[in-house]
Amino acid sequence: VSYTILTIIWIQMCRNPNVGPGGARPKVLPIHHMMTVLLILKTLSIFFESVRYHYIRVTGHAEFWSFVYYTFAFIKGTFLFTVILLIGSGWSFVKPFLNDREKKVVAAVLVLQVIDNVALAILNAETEGEQRFDNWSAILHLVDIICCCAVLVPIVWSVNSLEQTVAQNEESEGTAATDGAKPLPPPPGSEDAKTLDKLKLFRSFYLLVVAYVYFTRIIVYLFATMLDYHHTWLRYFVTELGTLFFYVVVGIKFQPAVDNPYAAVGKDDDAADEEIRFGSGGSR
């Protein structure tokens, strides 16, 4: 129910975004549509999981619904990591393409997600306590952590690139302190100010992803070891609660907005790229 309500709210925000000052209408980017698809997949995967457990409780088996659930869970998991990767790399917000390094990371995450979901399907067919169950459980947990670490790589690249840009701007414009005094902040609306806003947004998104990964993969795992058999449902409840909070915060940060510093810098970067492209063409 929570994800259904969240999906409806997000679709409404994308279809009728709040008009900014002066009648400026926020631009809905392709990444916003991908976030919509992710919410729909998440809602459907939870729905089919509940149907699966219902048939298991009533009839003792649910092969068809298990297949449907695992299919949607695979697509949802792949989409989740892909969306995080694309947001972290600045795709759609800042640039309409991915470089070769980012494409390789996306491909690696997709492969790991296939392995992860195959392990999940095999794990469901085994009996807890058997050797195969323990082996696949370890593989599943390891692959999941590797995927979580992989999605942080493009964000780190973006943060490092922005930090170098800020340092170069300070050095070229003479704003860096030379006598031990604290350098003055760039004036509002300048290129340096926009770059700093972009850097702050990347850093906050990085911390958000790290907190989500740490909570859902480590804290919840340790919490589950303290639960008895009758309270194992608390593990999944806490995980879904943390995931819901993550979705809400990301949606608030990257909702369609006129004054989004991400998009503002992206327009300037596109203009600069066109100027460089035309300039290089004219020099030939």
Side-chain angles (χ1 to χ4, degrees), residues 20-279:
R25 186 176 180 84
K27 184 178 180 181
V28 179
L29 303 173
I31 191 66
H32 292 131
H33 297 304
M34 294 189 67
M35 294 166 73
T36 303
V37 175
L38 174 60
L39 284 172
I40 295 174
L41 289 173
K42 177 65 176 177
T43 304
L44 290 176
S45 65
I46 293 179
F47 171 74
F48 288 126
E49 184 179 19
S50 63
V51 173
R52 171 176 171 265
Y53 279 119
H54 170 73
Y55 275 92
I56 290 177
R57 182 176 63 87
V58 174
T59 64
H61 57 86
E63 289 78 7
F64 172 75
W65 291 110
S66 294
F67 171 78
V68 174
Y69 162 67
Y70 286 123
T71 301
F72 276 90
F74 166 70
I75 300 174
K76 183 268 301 178
T78 304
F79 232 80
L80 172 62
F81 286 105
T82 303
V83 168
I84 294 176
L85 280 168
L86 294 178
I87 293 177
S89 64
W91 178 80
S92 186
F93 286 108
V94 176
K95 55 187 179 183
F97 58 88
L98 297 176
N99 57 39
D100 292 336
R101 292 191 308 175
E102 292 163 347
K103 290 178 181 178
K104 291 178 181 178
V105 173
V106 172
V109 170
L110 293 179
V111 172
L112 290 174
Q113 278 296 300
V114 173
I115 298 175
D116 187 48
N117 283 271
V118 169
L120 181 64
I122 296 178
L123 189 66
N124 183 69
E126 299 297 331
T127 303
E128 187 171 355
E130 294 184 353
Q131 184 63 37
R132 285 171 58 88
F133 181 92
D134 296 336
N135 292 340
W136 281 106
S137 180
I139 293 174
L140 177 63
H141 195 63
L142 176 62
V143 171
D144 193 40
I145 292 178
I146 293 175
C147 285
C148 294
C149 294
V151 299
L152 296 174
V153 174
I155 309 177
V156 174
W157 288 341
S158 300
V159 170
N160 291 338
S161 177
L162 288 171
E163 288 177 343
Q164 293 175 3
T165 302
V166 171
Q168 290 174 359
N169 290 340
E170 289 181 348
E171 183 178 354
S172 62
E173 296 178 6
T175 57
T178 58
D179 55 354
K182 185 178 181 180
L184 296 175
S190 64
E191 294 299 323
D192 290 346
K194 292 178 181 179
T195 303
L196 286 175
D197 290 339
K198 185 179 176 183
L199 177 59
K200 292 177 182 178
L201 189 59
F202 266 111
R203 283 176 174 172
S204 64
F205 182 64
Y206 173 80
L207 294 176
L208 180 63
V209 174
V210 170
Y212 169 71
V213 171
Y214 187 78
F215 179 78
T216 57
R217 268 64 180 181
I218 299 178
I219 298 296
V220 173
Y221 182 79
L222 296 176
F223 174 69
T225 60
M226 300 183 296
L227 299 175
D228 57 28
Y229 174 77
H230 298 286
H231 295 88
T232 53
W233 62 271
L234 286 173
R235 172 184 181 178
Y236 304 101
F237 174 76
V238 173
T239 301
E240 290 300 334
L241 195 63
T243 304
L244 180 63
F245 177 79
F246 175 75
Y247 278 38
V248 171
V249 176
V250 172
I252 293 174
K253 279 183 171 293
F254 298 99
Q255 63 178 304
V258 177
D259 57 347
N260 192 329
Y262 225 169
V265 177
K267 294 177 182 177
D268 296 333
D269 290 345
D270 291 341
D273 290 341
E274 290 184 6
E275 183 177 350
I276 293 174
R277 188 159 55 248
F278 284 121

